[in-house]
Amino acid sequence: MTASLPDNATGEAVCAALRAQVEKLGLSIGDEPVWADVVFEEETDPYSQEVSVLAYWRGKARFGKATFFPDGRIFAEYQVLLAHPAKADFYVDTVEIWGRPEKFRGDAVLAEYAK
């Protein structure tokens, strides 16, 4: 079984949603992630045998991954690796989004600096 690749509009919506999560913190990662830079793979769920499409951003300053499930749900994460603007001992490791393009939800993943 082969899954169909996400269309450009969906991919651009994922990228915009990831950037929006960063911007909510008052930070910027410029125009990253760039949908045109993704590399695709397929992954078969061992239990359901459903095929999901994985999209990776690799080889630049940041790493990211998006999973496009057969039922239309999406989960994506992208590295930020910038100091948190309000918490001196923390940095923003990644941002995550999930849901469907018409209503993504998201959050930031924080990490504490080693002391």
Side-chain angles (χ1 to χ4, degrees):
M1 176 184 225
T2 300
S4 59
L5 297 179
D7 61 38
N8 284 337
T10 301
E12 293 295 344
V14 167
C15 293
L18 288 165
R19 285 190 295 272
Q21 288 300 314
V22 176
E23 291 163 5
K24 279 175 38 177
L25 298 167
L27 298 171
S28 173
I29 54 173
D31 64 353
E32 293 180 61
V34 176
W35 182 244
D37 292 343
V38 298
V39 175
F40 294 105
E41 293 179 11
E42 288 185 353
E43 179 178 76
T44 303
D45 182 285
Y47 177 73
S48 69
Q49 296 302 304
E50 291 182 321
V51 179
S52 296
V53 173
L54 306 179
Y56 291 98
W57 293 274
R58 299 180 181 142
K60 297 201 175 178
R62 296 180 173 93
F63 174 82
K65 176 183 173 184
T67 304
F68 296 84
F69 297 98
D71 66 359
R73 291 175 302 118
I74 299 167
F75 176 81
E77 58 188 340
Y78 198 76
Q79 285 182 325
V80 177
L81 306 176
L82 294 173
H84 191 282
K87 297 181 178 185
D89 292 339
F90 289 84
Y91 66 96
V92 181
D93 184 31
T94 61
V95 289
E96 301 174 341
I97 60 149
W98 56 88
R100 298 176 192 277
E102 57 275 5
K103 190 176 178 187
F104 282 128
R105 297 180 52 111
D107 210 353
V109 177
L110 306 182
E112 191 169 9
Y113 288 112
K115 293 183 180 187

